[in-house]
Amino acid sequence: MNIGHEVLELKQQGNKFFSQRSYEEAISCYTKALLKNDKVTTIYTNRALCYLKLELWDRVLRDCMLALEIDKMMTKAHFFMGQALTELEKYDEAITSYTTAIESAKARKEHF
């Protein structure tokens, strides 16, 4: 999938901010990238991880759901969703998300 040069630059900028623990700035970059191309699942999960770090659980869930609308077996989306659901004490739903993440990782031969 060709995501576009500008989208890739914004994603890379967001990644740089994330590595510096500047989560709000990273979120801003990822949001701008998604406004240009809202079909890139990794940008949703990158932004969801920022929201995890900021403990904004509902936003984590929203971004994970958006990623899963595009790719229903995206491992990171299921895993991050499980983390947010755990924090919200929705343990049964969290277990389902974690289990799906494990199944997805196995099916895709990902090491997560």
Side-chain angles (χ1 to χ4, degrees), residues 59-107:
R59 291 183 183 185
V60 174
L61 295 176
R62 182 196 64 209
D63 274 1
C64 289
M65 291 303 298
L66 290 168
L68 291 170
E69 285 177 15
I70 299 164
D71 178 358
K72 68 179 180 174
M73 291 303 289
M74 185 170 193
T75 305
K76 284 185 181 181
H78 286 290
F79 183 74
F80 295 157
M81 186 177 291
Q83 289 180 290
L85 290 166
T86 299
E87 294 295 337
L88 292 168
E89 299 181 6
K90 296 182 178 182
Y91 301 117
D92 290 339
E93 292 174 59
I95 289 169
T96 300
S97 290
Y98 286 133
T99 301
T100 306
I102 291 167
E103 291 168 357
S104 173
K106 285 180 184 177

Side-chain angles (χ1 to χ4, degrees), residues 2 9 11 15-16 21 28 43 47 53 57 59 74 81 83 88 92-93 98 100-101 104:
N2 181 6
E9 275 188 20
K11 181 182 178 216
N15 293 348
K16 182 178 177 184
R21 296 187 174 131
S28 177
I43 298 175
R47 191 170 68 176
K53 297 291 187 180
W57 314 124
R59 291 183 183 185
M74 185 170 193
M81 186 177 291
Q83 289 180 290
L88 292 168
D92 290 339
E93 292 174 59
Y98 286 133
T100 306
S104 173

